[in-house]
Amino acid sequence: MTGYWLMKSEPGEFGIDDLALRPNQTEHWDGVRNYQARNLMRDGMKLGDLVFFYHSNCAQPGIVGIARVAREAYPDHTAFDPLDQHFDPKSRPDQPTWYMVDVVLVRKLNRTITLSELKTRPELEGLALVRRGNRLSVMPVSEPQWHSILGLE
DNA sequence: GCCAACGTTGGC
DNA sequence: GCCAACGTTGGC
């Protein structure tokens, strides 16, 4: 059974077009440093699960594409590198704190489904993204929510 | 274990 | 750039 997710990224750091330019249009999703998001990635995300690619912290926040989980969780090596922006001395190679998955681009959406638009849909009330104060960068999407959002495209 | 201070996220 | 919401840290 396919799982559905939403992952946030700042387009100024890594946007949907950056994913499209990667070899095999695949990239590891490093830098998650929140335990709840980590648990979802590590324990929840399965090979083949589908992911909404969301642009955050930008002029037009919203869903811009679809990706698929290409590799299940493995240690986030950027946490081991003192020179990396996401370095975390708590995480050691023999006992990693942080994990990442690989995602592959499925397709860009024909248009951005904006956050403001998602907020107007009563059937999406339960979506973590539109709940007050939500800051999770990785979150589950139910199957009905997934199809409902795609129907907006 | 409480909680104030601080840092980060992310919409606007 | 502002600031509300939230997570983390660290003193006690």
Coordinates of all heavy atoms in Angstrom, one line a residue, chain A residues 24 31 34 48-49 91 111 120 134:
Chain A
N24 N 19.7 11.3 -12.6 CA 18.6 10.4 -12.4 C 17.4 11.2 -11.7 O 16.5 10.5 -11.2 CB 18.9 9.2 -11.6 CG 20.0 8.3 -12.3 OD1 20.0 8.1 -13.5 ND2 21.0 7.9 -11.5
G31 N 19.5 17.0 6.0 CA 19.3 18.3 6.8 C 18.1 18.3 7.7 O 17.9 19.3 8.4
N34 N 14.8 17.6 13.1 CA 13.6 17.6 14.0 C 13.2 16.2 14.2 O 13.1 15.4 13.2 CB 12.5 18.4 13.3 CG 11.2 18.3 14.0 OD1 10.5 17.3 13.9 ND2 10.8 19.3 14.8
G48 N 8.8 3.7 -2.8 CA 7.6 3.8 -3.7 C 6.6 4.8 -3.2 O 5.6 5.1 -3.9
D49 N 6.7 5.2 -1.9 CA 5.7 6.1 -1.4 C 5.8 7.4 -2.2 O 6.8 7.8 -2.7 CB 6.0 6.5 0.1 CG 5.5 5.4 1.0 OD1 4.9 4.4 0.5 OD2 5.6 5.6 2.2
S91 N 25.4 13.3 16.7 CA 25.2 12.2 15.8 C 26.5 11.6 15.4 O 27.4 12.4 14.9 CB 24.4 12.7 14.5 OG 24.0 11.6 13.7
R111 N 0.9 23.7 -12.3 CA 0.9 25.0 -11.7 C 1.2 24.7 -10.2 O 1.1 23.6 -9.7 CB -0.4 25.7 -11.8 CG -1.6 24.9 -11.1 CD -2.9 25.7 -11.3 NE -4.0 25.1 -10.5 CZ -4.2 25.5 -9.2 NH1 -3.5 26.4 -8.7 NH2 -5.2 25.0 -8.5
T120 N -8.3 27.0 1.9 CA -9.7 27.3 1.7 C -10.5 26.0 1.6 O -11.8 26.0 1.5 CB -9.9 28.1 0.4 OG1 -9.6 27.3 -0.7 CG2 -9.1 29.4 0.4
N134 N 2.0 25.0 12.5 CA 2.7 23.8 12.1 C 4.1 24.2 11.5 O 4.2 25.0 10.6 CB 1.9 23.0 11.1 CG 2.7 21.9 10.5 OD1 3.1 21.0 11.2 ND2 3.1 22.0 9.3

